[in-house]
Amino acid sequence: MKKIFLCIVFLLSIGLFISCEKDDSLDPLPVKVPGQFIRLDITSKVLKAINPSPPAADPTNFTQTEVDESFFGGMLTSPSGKVVRYNLYIRRRDQFGIISEYELVKTITSFPTELRITNTDIANAFGLSTSDIKYGEEYYFYGESFDADGNRADFFNLSATVQGAPGVKQGYRFRTTNSDNRFFANPENLLQYDNYVFTP
C-alpha cells in the first residue's frame, strides 16, 4: 500500500513539473524563427529637422549640416542567418496630418548591416525634395523578409509576445519622427520614445 501511495505521489509530482514548464512555442526567440526573423537594434531614434519658419537666431534649430548627417536606424541582423532579402517600406504623416501610402525606402541583401534612413532617403521614396521634409513629421515603417526559397515573413508571422516586446527588437513595424533641439534638450524624451509601437 505504501508503494502504491509513493508511486501516485511520484507521478503527480512529474505531472506538476511538466505542466509548469514553459512552452517555448508560445514565446519564440528570434533564433527559433528559422529563416524569417529580422532583428533591429535601434541606435538613432529621431531624425533632425529644420523648423518651417524659425527666427534667425533660434537656438532650437539645427544647422543644415546636422540635418543632412542625421539618420534613423540601427543594426539589422538575421539571427538564423537564412534571410537573403529585407524590404523596408515607409508611410509619411506630414505636419498637417496627411498620411501617405507606403513606399519602398530600402532593400537590403546583406546581414548584418547598419540600417540608415536619412531625410534624403525619405524624400526620394516619396518623390520629394529634402526641403519638403519638415519638423514634426512622423514616419511609419513596415518590413518584410525573405529566405532563399522565397518564403516571406512580416509582422503578422511573429508571436504576440514578439510583436509587443520592445526587448525582442523586431524589425517589421516601428516608427520615428522628425524633431528639433527642443526634443533632444529633454533626455526624458529619448528615454520614453518608443520605436516599436504597433502602427496600423
Side-chain angles (χ1 to χ4, degrees):
M1 187 72 175
K2 186 176 181 182
K3 287 184 179 179
I4 294 174
F5 176 75
L6 289 175
C7 284
I8 292 172
V9 171
F10 178 72
L11 290 173
L12 287 174
S13 298
I14 290 176
L16 184 62
F17 176 76
I18 290 172
S19 67
C20 291
E21 190 173 322
K22 185 178 179 182
D23 183 353
D24 287 338
S25 67
L26 301 178
D27 186 21
L29 297 173
V31 294
K32 293 183 181 179
V33 185
Q36 302 298 321
F37 194 86
I38 282 291
R39 175 185 171 104
L40 177 60
D41 289 282
I42 298 291
T43 56
S44 178
K45 291 183 177 182
V46 186
L47 284 161
K48 297 176 181 176
I50 288 179
N51 290 328
S53 302
D58 186 352
T60 67
N61 194 29
F62 287 112
T63 66
Q64 186 62 55
T65 300
E66 288 176 301
V67 171
D68 291 341
E69 292 178 352
S70 75
F71 71 95
F72 166 79
M75 189 55 63
L76 197 66
T77 57
S78 166
S80 68
K82 295 181 181 178
V83 173
V84 298
R85 180 163 55 95
Y86 172 74
N87 293 333
L88 185 62
Y89 300 87
I90 184 173
R91 171 181 270 183
R92 174 180 178 238
R93 181 182 183 278
D94 69 18
Q95 57 186 342
F96 304 108
I98 298 172
I99 300 175
S100 72
E101 296 298 319
Y102 277 106
E103 301 291 344
L104 180 66
V105 67
K106 291 275 183 180
T107 294
I108 295 169
T109 56
S110 177
F111 307 93
T113 190
E114 184 181 25
L115 176 68
R116 296 172 70 96
I117 305 295
T118 65
N119 284 304
T120 300
D121 292 325
I122 293 169
N124 290 342
F126 295 109
L128 304 171
S129 68
T130 52
S131 62
D132 295 318
I133 304 299
K134 304 294 186 182
Y135 159 76
E137 295 186 347
E138 291 183 316
Y139 307 106
Y140 300 86
F141 296 91
Y142 182 89
E144 59 179 0
S145 59
F146 298 84
D147 65 14
D149 295 325
N151 296 312
R152 178 183 177 276
D154 64 11
F155 183 83
F156 296 103
N157 294 115
L158 305 176
S159 74
T161 300
V162 175
Q163 286 177 355
V168 179
K169 302 181 179 179
Q170 54 85 12
Y172 295 98
R173 285 207 175 197
F174 45 93
R175 65 183 172 89
T176 194
T177 187
N178 233 322
S179 195
D180 66 4
N181 273 337
R182 283 171 289 195
F183 183 93
F184 287 86
N186 184 353
E188 287 298 313
N189 285 340
L190 291 179
L191 291 174
Q192 295 174 6
Y193 189 75
D194 184 0
N195 296 290
Y196 298 97
V197 173
F198 175 81
T199 56

